[in-house]
Amino acid sequence: MALTTNNIQSILIRRRLRTSLLIIGIWIITGFFTAVYEYLFLANYPGVQDTAAMAEYDFRTSLVAALAWAFIGGVLFSLVELFYLQDRLENRRFTHVIGIKMLTYSALLVVLNVLTSALYNALSLQRPISDPLVRDRVIEFLTSMAFWHPLLPFLLLLFLTLFIIQLNSKFGAGELWQFVTGKYFKPKEEQRIFMFLDLNDSTAIAEKLGHIRFFHFMNDFFRDITNDILQNDGEIVEYVGDEIVVTWTVDRGLFNGRCVRCFHDITTRIEALTPRYQRKYGIAPTFKAGIHFGKATIGEIGKIKKEIVFSGDVMNTTSRIQNLCRDLREPLVISEDLMRILKPVGVDLHFEELGEAHLRGKAAKTRIYTARRVA
């Protein structure tokens, strides 16, 4: 069954909620260790607890306040970040995004710090938050250096979280984690599905628009199709000029025919956005794609600038299959190797054999297919 708009939104929301839970978990763990560190520090300097400022210190109360602070902060941060700011700031520079978000979240953390102080003093004094004595303690806290004591660790955590989120968006979904874990530090061979998707008539469009406007045109196109790739569990390997290379693990690519549906979801999206492209550029993008399956070698490469790269005959063959689109006047060409392992994917896709083709570098001819979406 094809992905509907509601299904796509549901997938996107579920992904963001999973990320939210991860962020909240990290913040809670940080809150716990902050409270424990404070307790161990005070235990190592017993004289500090005899001062007037620390006379009412209690570890349990401090721990509850720290955990509540971290939980509320994690919830606020993840909701604002993932469901509001992330989409609105995606077209800004890296440093601008970090700066704007740091100012926004720092203001939220200050407010949260005030609320946590009120909670802590209410628990310590066993009085309601609205009590004048609790209010006086909060005002005293706000005007003292102690105000920055719980705030600074979380400002650092905030900066690191934002930096990692932005860095992950620059590397691509999951690629940063692969670098950190060293998954492909040593090259590995994996069975992979690849799609090479290429803009049509890019040279003519560039001449018409000029190089700067064509760059924006191409960038808009890549941005517009990214969600369809991610929602079909594809990984963006690289951008090569006006071409994008997408890959799937076998299980993910075959499930419900995602590797094929991805192309048709992109087609549907661009058709819906055609009026916007016509207004902005006077032309709408059209494209072609080849999809193939085979064994690829995956590993880290480079010294000054490291990347995770894919190599192998499967890459060359996919590129040559895509080149057949122009001669056959078909927007999508699929290899026989992929067709052999594709499972039934529902009645909305119709597969059609296109015959045999001779691919450069191959002794035998290759049988090729296409897939059309049934209205």
Side-chain angles (χ1 to χ4, degrees):
M1 186 173 64
L3 289 172
T4 64
T5 301
N6 289 336
N7 287 336
I8 289 173
Q9 290 300 321
S10 177
I11 291 171
L12 187 60
I13 290 172
R14 283 201 301 271
R15 287 185 174 184
R16 290 182 173 180
L17 287 176
R18 284 198 297 268
T19 305
S20 297
L21 291 175
L22 177 62
I23 291 171
I24 294 167
I26 292 172
W27 279 56
I28 289 174
I29 292 170
T30 303
F32 173 80
F33 280 109
T34 299
V36 170
Y37 173 79
E38 182 178 60
Y39 169 76
L40 293 175
F41 175 82
L42 293 173
N44 197 42
Y45 297 95
V48 176
Q49 296 189 53
D50 297 331
T51 62
M54 299 302 300
E56 297 175 359
Y57 172 79
D58 176 71
F59 172 67
R60 289 186 179 180
T61 303
S62 177
L63 180 62
V64 169
L67 292 178
W69 198 101
F71 174 75
I72 297 171
V75 170
L76 287 175
F77 172 82
S78 59
L79 291 179
V80 174
E81 169 65 22
L82 299 174
F83 293 92
Y84 185 76
L85 284 182
Q86 197 172 74
D87 291 336
R88 285 164 176 77
L89 298 179
E90 65 176 359
N91 293 328
R92 290 180 177 264
R93 294 179 184 177
F94 185 93
T95 51
H96 289 181
V97 172
I98 293 290
I100 292 170
K101 289 182 178 180
M102 276 298 295
L103 289 174
T104 302
Y105 295 131
S106 294
L108 287 175
L109 287 180
V110 169
V111 173
L112 185 58
N113 208 20
V114 174
L115 294 176
T116 305
S117 174
L119 174 63
Y120 176 83
N121 284 288
L123 291 171
S124 297
L125 298 171
Q126 296 185 347
R127 298 191 180 195
I129 291 180
S130 58
D131 189 273
L133 184 57
V134 173
R135 185 188 63 224
D136 291 342
R137 288 285 184 89
V138 172
I139 294 173
E140 182 183 349
F141 171 67
L142 289 176
T143 56
S144 69
M145 293 296 293
F147 174 75
W148 298 99
H149 173 68
L151 197 61
L152 288 177
F154 281 91
L155 285 174
L156 177 60
L157 174 65
L158 173 63
F159 177 78
L160 291 176
T161 306
L162 285 174
F163 190 81
I164 290 171
I165 288 174
Q166 289 303 118
L167 204 59
N168 189 57
S169 71
K170 298 299 178 185
F171 272 94
E175 189 171 339
L176 179 60
W177 182 246
Q178 291 171 357
F179 271 115
V180 172
T181 58
K183 182 177 181 180
Y184 297 115
F185 182 74
K186 293 183 178 180
K188 296 181 180 179
E189 284 190 337
E190 292 183 4
Q191 297 287 350
R192 286 272 182 160
I193 298 169
F194 286 92
M195 176 173 71
F196 282 40
L197 188 145
D198 182 50
L199 277 170
N200 290 326
D201 304 318
S202 57
T203 302
I205 296 173
E207 289 178 353
K208 177 182 177 180
L209 299 179
H211 293 298
I212 298 297
R213 290 194 70 210
F214 175 68
F215 183 89
H216 289 300
F217 174 84
M218 187 171 59
N219 198 31
D220 283 349
F221 173 71
F222 287 147
R223 287 181 183 276
D224 289 335
I225 69 176
T226 294
N227 275 347
D228 293 298
I229 294 169
L230 298 181
Q231 286 154 6
N232 281 284
D233 262 346
E235 302 172 36
I236 297 173
V237 175
E238 60 181 341
Y239 302 97
V240 185
D242 59 354
E243 181 179 73
I244 184 170
V245 179
V246 184
T247 185
W248 289 264
T249 59
V250 175
D251 291 342
R252 290 183 176 183
L254 293 184
F255 181 77
N256 198 31
R258 281 173 176 159
C259 59
V260 178
R261 290 192 184 282
C262 180
F263 175 83
H264 289 287
D265 288 344
I266 290 171
T267 301
T268 301
R269 181 174 298 274
I270 296 302
E271 286 175 351
L273 293 175
T274 291
R276 191 194 75 184
Y277 278 97
Q278 291 287 359
R279 286 193 304 271
K280 189 173 181 180
Y281 298 106
I283 191 170
T286 60
F287 48 91
K288 56 188 178 294
I291 311 178
H292 181 46
F293 159 77
K295 186 179 290 185
T297 302
I298 314 170
E300 293 183 21
I301 197 169
K303 182 177 181 180
I304 296 175
K305 185 181 183 299
K306 283 186 174 290
E307 293 184 11
I308 293 176
V309 301
F310 295 74
S311 64
D313 180 67
V314 62
M315 307 289 287
N316 298 326
T317 302
T318 308
S319 178
R320 289 162 188 164
I321 288 171
Q322 185 227 67
N323 289 336
L324 294 174
C325 294
R326 185 183 297 105
D327 298 333
L328 297 172
R329 296 184 179 180
E330 290 286 349
L332 175 65
V333 176
I334 303 169
S335 72
E336 182 180 18
D337 290 340
L338 179 60
M339 285 298 300
R340 286 198 194 104
I341 62 172
L342 267 175
K343 301 171 184 177
V345 292
V347 296
D348 60 315
L349 288 181
H350 170 67
F351 292 89
E352 179 182 322
E353 184 178 337
L354 299 176
E356 292 184 330
H358 185 269
L359 300 178
R360 184 166 54 87
K362 299 287 185 181
K365 287 187 176 181
T366 301
R367 196 171 298 276
I368 52 175
Y369 301 79
T370 192
R372 310 187 197 281
R373 179 161 277 176
V374 179

